[in-house]
Amino acid sequence: MSDDLDTVPQFRSDVTVDLVRSAAADSDVVWAARVSTAGEQSLEALQQDPEKSTGLINFLMRDRHGTPFEHNSMTFFISAPIFVFREFHRHRSGWSYNEESGRYRELQPVFYVPGADRKLVQEGRPGRYEFVDGTEKQHAVVADSMEAAYQASYRAYQEMLDAGVAREVARAVLPVGLFSSMYATCNARSLMHFLSLRTKAENAKVPSFPQREIEMVAEQMEAKWAELMPLTHAAFEKHGRVAP
Ligand SMILES: Cc1cc2nc3c(=O)[nH]c(=O)nc-3n(C[C@H](O)[C@H](O)[C@H](O)COP(=O)(O)OP(=O)(O)OC[C@H]3O[C@@H](n4cnc5c(N)ncnc54)[C@H](O)[C@@H]3O)c2cc1C
């Protein structure tokens, strides 16, 4: 038996988001919008205090003039389970993705197990259901079942690799709770659309009911974006979290 077969799996209940690169500021919204009326003088908006343009940013958000919110860029490095990425990659417009490959690298045994605060029980009907806390016993069943299944599947994966089978074939046994990593690049407009669908907020004009794990990613992205573009973020909140 190879050393690889003794690899100890890791179980995580968190997701991580790092902002690795950004060119994004409230003033980017202002100069892009001001070209309508000021032409080449719109770049002077770069020198101005963006606070002075709070009214303009709110107007653009409220009336859904979306394009001035596209002239910026944020790149995030995200570690999350594969089932989160399956949902994430449905967001097509204004997003670029690159993810680690199960063909070119041996996938690491890092798996998702819900934490103690993850609500486990679904009540109600689809589209109108709520999640409530699980009992201690339910949490124990979830952790035991997931860990046993993860260990068995990773062992099968390694047995195949050990026998000389290609990674792209062996990976078929790995579950969607396996962690993956990717870069995701977006702009404020595409991020707002994502946030409107992948977070649950009391003040949302159009409520959404996302899976908690993608919401955990979305919340971290939103916090980083709000630091870069506080006025735009405040306008998004004020106008009911509707992407312009
Ligand atoms: C709570 C929830 C439950 C979901 N459940 C399911 C499910 O059960 N099954 C399932 O398959 N998916 C499901 N989804 C995924 C959903 O259908 C969308 O694929 C996902 O939310 C991405 O939304 P989007 O297409 O608006 O985003 P993007 O792809 O980023 O598109 C942004 C916007 O661009 C425009 N656009 C993009 N592409 C086109 C196009 N081809 N034609 C016209 N306009 C376009 C639209 O205005 C769109 O809103 C769910 C999503 C959520 C939030």
Side-chain angles (χ1 to χ4, degrees):
M1 190 177 281
S2 78
D3 286 349
D4 283 352
L5 287 173
D6 295 327
T7 308
V8 181
Q10 283 178 47
F11 304 112
R12 284 177 58 178
S13 45
D14 66 323
V15 295
T16 55
V17 175
D18 293 309
L19 179 71
V20 294
R21 220 167 64 107
S22 66
D26 290 316
S27 54
D28 298 332
V29 180
V30 179
W31 55 253
R34 290 231 189 274
V35 74
S36 297
T37 52
E40 69 284 355
Q41 278 148 24
S42 53
L43 270 181
E44 287 168 14
L46 274 176
Q47 266 70 55
Q48 287 168 9
D49 177 4
E51 291 273 353
K52 286 193 180 141
S53 302
T54 303
L56 172 64
I57 292 173
N58 271 290
F59 158 75
L60 296 169
M61 191 73 73
R62 189 199 65 202
D63 286 12
R64 302 193 65 210
H65 293 295
T67 45
F69 296 98
E70 294 175 7
H71 297 272
N72 57 80
S73 172
M74 291 164 274
T75 299
F76 298 93
F77 181 72
I78 303 168
S79 282
I82 288 171
F83 67 84
V84 169
F85 286 180
R86 282 197 60 184
E87 293 189 343
F88 210 128
H89 294 156
R90 299 299 301 279
H91 295 267
R92 300 156 288 176
S93 302
W95 287 91
S96 304
Y97 303 110
N98 280 96
E99 185 180 358
E100 70 179 89
S101 167
R103 298 184 68 202
Y104 304 129
R105 91 182 280 234
E106 185 175 330
L107 296 169
Q108 298 304 297
V110 183
F111 298 98
Y112 179 73
V113 176
D117 57 346
R118 203 308 184 186
K119 295 183 192 308
L120 290 184
V121 179
Q122 182 178 321
E123 288 180 351
R125 59 184 171 80
R128 209 162 255 292
Y129 46 68
E130 282 198 359
F131 285 84
V132 296
D133 288 334
T135 60
E136 236 173 77
K137 198 171 163 195
Q138 285 169 324
H139 273 284
V141 169
V142 167
D144 290 350
S145 308
M146 284 189 179
E147 289 177 20
Y150 290 153
Q151 267 159 336
S153 66
Y154 199 75
R155 179 158 284 267
Y157 174 66
Q158 288 195 306
E159 275 169 6
M160 284 187 267
L161 295 186
D162 239 38
V165 174
R167 289 180 291 261
E168 68 182 37
V169 176
R171 69 173 171 174
V173 292
L174 294 174
V176 291
L178 185 82
F179 268 75
S180 186
S181 58
M182 69 165 176
Y183 289 107
T185 299
C186 62
N187 59 56
R189 189 184 193 187
S190 53
L191 182 62
M192 284 187 271
H193 184 71
F194 173 82
L195 295 176
S196 71
L197 291 168
R198 300 301 183 178
T199 58
K200 193 176 171 195
E202 291 290 319
N203 60 331
K205 264 192 197 154
V206 184
S208 190
F209 301 91
Q211 168 140 5
R212 178 60 193 141
E213 285 76 12
I214 195 167
E215 188 181 36
M216 285 154 55
V217 172
E219 285 170 354
Q220 292 188 45
M221 294 173 80
E222 181 165 358
K224 291 175 194 308
W225 168 57
E227 276 181 34
L228 295 171
M229 302 178 76
L231 302 178
T232 306
H233 180 257
F236 176 60
E237 280 279 57
K238 184 173 172 188
H239 296 287
R241 299 175 67 84
V242 175

